[in-house]
Amino acid sequence: MDVRTELSEFLKTRRARLTPADVGLPTYGGQRRVAGLRREELAQAAGVSVAHYTRLEQGHTRSVSPEVVDAIVAALRLNQQEREYLHRLVRPPRAAEQPATATATADVRPGLQHLLDSMELTPAFVVGSRSNIVAWNRIGAAVFGDLAALPPQRRTWSHLIFLDEAFRLLHGTRWWHVARTHVAYIRTLAAQHPQDTELTAHLDAMRVESREFRRLWETRDVAAWTNREYVLQHPTAGELRLAGEWVLLPNDPGMGLELCVPEPGTPSETQLRLLTETTDRKSSGQGLRAKDAADPPAGPAPSDPDRRAARLT
């Protein structure tokens, strides 16, 4: 990520959301030439000089104190995630300070895989810091799709959300919300790991391959993610409502565990039980299909990919 450019564009987009009335400034008649606040108006609302703010918006951060950043945060009406994001852009972590990332060929400890496999009613995934899906369990594949059938370089949440039609249909009318939230979250990852060349390459590829990803990326929205609600339209199980919880794995740097849990006693729990009963138990945990699924088209059988590696493009 080019932090200087990102800082400049982020401030411009946040400034464009506001009007003088939003920050208590008078609105004079006549047509405004720019959308949102002018630089001088934002500087006035923040109590800083126009020259000081202009240098910051141009990406010059050397003389900017945390107090000045917080004054700009208040003037721009930023939420907590946006505040943290702006501070991170102004003071990007040095290489030695950046959070650890999972390598593209990260291994999953046997004990962690056994944990996944023991969760028969809980779709679960190990996810790397580049949205790459490193490991999963049987019910996870039964609900979200046969991940083992995908090339490792496309086994990411980004690819599934934006480039997999079946995955899009699974989310139904909530797809756009899922897509917007994902892009906002992965932007925060890019700020945490500005020198991660594989993550940068992944984001560059997604902007080329998906017009929708590129459109959402340009909004420069940011969001932290710890939990979310899934409302899925499964082709055989019907509607599934699952609570997605995100758990960091401190002993596995750069990786986290996503658990998708139905509320006890609900139709979703019942449908998950039925789905496990109709799953081909001979299938590997690397991917599975329902017993009644159609046979794959004729042709050479795909090789069994290593679910522990997911190199991004």
Side-chain angles (χ1 to χ4, degrees):
M1 170 187 278
D2 185 332
V3 176
R4 182 171 171 174
T5 299
E6 178 62 20
L7 172 61
S8 176
E9 294 302 318
F10 180 72
L11 287 171
K12 290 176 184 177
T13 59
R14 303 308 96 169
R15 183 162 54 85
R17 299 187 307 187
L18 300 173
T19 67
D22 291 330
V23 296
L25 295 177
T27 302
Y28 301 103
Q31 185 175 2
R32 294 174 63 87
R33 292 178 297 176
V34 296
L37 289 177
R38 300 184 179 97
R39 285 177 175 173
E40 56 268 27
E41 291 170 332
L42 190 281
Q44 181 180 348
V48 301
S49 72
V50 176
H52 201 57
Y53 176 75
T54 298
R55 287 196 298 272
L56 178 63
E57 194 172 282
Q58 291 173 343
H60 302 290
T61 62
R62 179 172 299 177
S63 61
V64 180
S65 68
E67 292 75 20
V68 167
V69 176
D70 278 335
I72 293 170
V73 165
L76 289 173
R77 306 296 195 266
L78 302 187
N79 61 31
Q80 183 61 27
Q81 288 81 29
E82 291 171 324
R83 175 187 180 277
E84 293 173 0
Y85 186 71
L86 180 57
H87 273 280
R88 192 173 289 118
L89 292 176
V90 173
R91 294 285 184 273
R94 294 173 295 183
E97 300 172 339
Q98 290 188 41
T101 61
T103 64
T105 55
D107 260 356
V108 172
R109 293 178 289 105
L112 183 55
Q113 185 62 57
H114 296 332
L115 176 64
L116 294 181
D117 294 338
S118 71
M119 300 177 182
E120 295 192 354
L121 288 180
T122 303
F125 308 88
V126 175
V127 183
S129 54
R130 305 174 183 97
S131 96
N132 48 314
I133 302 171
V134 182
W136 57 93
N137 60 5
R138 288 177 177 272
I139 190 63
V143 171
F144 288 93
D146 189 355
L147 297 170
L150 300 174
Q153 67 272 18
R154 302 185 76 82
R155 203 178 294 145
T156 78
W157 286 123
S158 299
H159 284 93
L160 287 172
I161 292 169
F162 290 94
L163 301 173
D164 189 296
E165 186 62 27
F167 195 83
R168 182 187 293 243
L169 292 174
L170 182 67
H171 288 277
T173 59
R174 286 178 55 86
W175 177 86
W176 188 252
H177 170 75
V178 171
R180 184 174 64 248
T181 302
H182 173 75
V183 175
Y185 171 65
I186 203 170
R187 180 179 289 281
T188 66
L189 293 182
Q192 291 172 8
H193 309 281
Q195 299 179 36
D196 188 329
T197 56
E198 288 191 57
L199 176 56
T200 299
H202 172 64
L203 297 174
D204 289 344
M206 289 303 305
R207 289 199 293 271
V208 170
E209 293 187 60
S210 172
R211 181 176 59 183
E212 291 160 324
F213 185 97
R214 183 168 63 252
R215 174 185 170 187
L216 287 170
W217 186 259
E218 290 171 355
T219 67
R220 287 180 162 75
D221 289 338
V222 295
W225 183 82
T226 56
N227 59 79
R228 55 184 164 187
E229 180 187 15
Y230 286 109
V231 182
L232 308 174
Q233 308 303 320
H234 194 273
T236 59
E239 183 177 277
L240 294 174
R241 292 180 173 268
L242 306 172
E245 297 290 337
W246 177 253
V247 181
L248 290 176
L249 298 171
N251 292 327
D252 302 270
M255 292 195 287
L257 183 64
E258 182 174 4
L259 307 173
C260 304
V261 186
E263 185 178 344
T266 61
S268 293
E269 183 184 48
T270 301
Q271 290 302 101
L272 277 181
R273 291 187 185 278
L274 291 174
L275 195 57
T276 61
E277 293 171 2
T278 58
T279 292
D280 184 357
R281 285 291 179 175
K282 294 181 181 179
S283 297
S284 165
Q286 295 172 339
L288 74 169
R289 58 179 182 172
K291 287 180 177 179
D292 297 330
D295 289 333
S303 60
D304 182 21
D306 183 352
R307 65 178 164 184
R308 298 177 181 174
R311 181 172 297 277
L312 301 180
T313 55

